[in-house]
Structure formats: C-alpha cells, structure tokens
Amino acid sequence: MTKETYGLRDAADLIGIMPSTLAYIVSAGDVLPERGVPTWQQHDGNVWNDLTKFVFTAADIERYKTEMDRRTFAELKIAYADVYQADAGPEPRGLEFGPGWTQILREFCDHLRDFNDTGRTCRLRWGKEKFGALHLFCDYDDSIQRYVEHAKGIAYGRSLGTCQECAAPGRLRYGDMICLTLCDRHSHLAAPLDQEKDGKILDVSAWSRSQRRLPE
C-alpha cells in the first residue's frame, strides 16, 4: 500500500474514531471511499466480511472528518450552546444517536429555549438511541417537569417514524440482534430481520410494557 492510501485502522486513527465506527459509516452507504469497497455492493451487508480490503485516500480522510462533525452534531452544539450543556463526570455521555434525528433534536432544543425564556432553567445534557427510539436527558427546574417530559415524549414519538440515518420517513426495523428506526434504503443496517416481529412491533418499549416486561 502506497503512502497515499490507508487501511481501515490507519484511516480511523487519522479521523479520530474507532475502526468499527468507520466501518459502520461505510456500511450506511452515504459516504463511500472514492476507490470503492470491493467486498460490498448494493447494500448487501458484505462490508463487514473483509475489512482488510478497505482503501482510503487522504481526500477520504477529510470527507469522513466532515461526516463525523455531522454525526456528532458539531454545528448544533454551537447553535444551541445556551441550552446544551455537555454531560460531565468520570464517564460522560454524549448525543449517541444517528444524524437523521438532527431536526427532532433542534425542535426539542427550541422548546428548552422557550422554557428558559420564562426564567425556568432547562439544559439538555445527553441523549441516546434505545430500541430504535430517541431518549433525551435534561437538568431542569422541578416546576416544569411535566412540560419537559411532554417535549421529550414528542421527540420520542417522532423518532419512531424517522430514519435515524437520513431523516426520511422510516419505521422500527426489528432485527435478530438490534432494533433501529430506518427507511427502506438504510434497513440493511438492522439485518438480519426477525421475520416474526419486524413490521409488527413498532415501539419496543410499549410492546414490552404490554407484555408486562417493563414497569409502567
């Protein structure tokens, strides 16, 4: 391999991410190495089969750095610095979900601004994807708990109908090992699908409660 190209691990080091994260982004299919991925065609999932054949150029490195800015919500964190306060502590959490939910997050932050404008402090600290849905965690005055929880519920509901990769209309894809809310184009990210549950269970938490598997 020449000096102008890099394997998966070296490319990930230059971008500042884990090799598994870079492999996932390639598998999503929206940002591909300019020289192609010889073991992966038409979203068939083979991207995971031979990572040693990945080849990235210096231009690819810059493109994936830009993609990571998008996936870590760099612009949003600046735009909403008045209501977003990063989690702190020995094991801080971040905004751990796909970029397709950016607009949902923006609208939630707008709600927080409305609360703050009334003199009631509310700050977004972190968020995560769990069972294909968006869960947000905040610090807020007790007096607005009901309103913040309502805003969180709106974001949760919208996430279950929005592809977490690209923001297109989507639904929960119930995989054998993972559940993700995705559009048809990105549905391969949850494959293989559980044929008995996929398309029937569209909210895992609600279904689990109905089966008495989660506390009310």
Side-chain angles (χ1 to χ4, degrees), residues 193-206:
L193 299 178
D194 184 323
Q195 298 303 318
E196 294 184 1
K197 297 177 180 177
D198 182 58
K200 302 177 181 66
I201 299 173
L202 301 179
D203 183 337
V204 176
S205 294

Side-chain angles (χ1 to χ4, degrees), residues 127-140:
K128 67 177 180 179
E129 174 274 323
K130 182 178 181 181
F131 298 138
L134 177 60
H135 297 258
L136 298 169
F137 299 85
C138 305
D139 293 335
Y140 49 81

Side-chain angles (χ1 to χ4, degrees), residues 4-18:
E4 289 75 27
T5 60
Y6 308 89
L8 178 70
R9 186 172 298 280
D10 288 340
D13 286 343
L14 290 169
I15 298 166
I17 58 178
M18 296 293 292

Side-chain angles (χ1 to χ4, degrees), residues 31-89:
V31 183
L32 294 173
E34 61 182 359
R35 297 196 178 186
V37 182
T39 59
W40 183 75
Q41 300 291 333
Q42 302 300 317
H43 287 172
D44 65 4
N46 289 334
V47 67
W48 297 100
N49 289 347
D50 194 352
L51 304 184
T52 63
K53 293 185 178 180
F54 278 28
V55 176
F56 299 87
T57 65
D60 290 330
I61 302 301
E62 296 307 312
R63 290 168 60 233
Y64 282 104
K65 285 181 178 179
T66 299
E67 175 66 3
M68 282 308 301
D69 284 343
R70 186 176 77 96
R71 288 178 172 272
T72 55
F73 307 96
E75 291 185 1
L76 183 142
K77 290 174 181 177
I78 294 172
Y80 288 93
D82 55 324
V83 293
Y84 173 72
Q85 184 176 356
D87 190 31

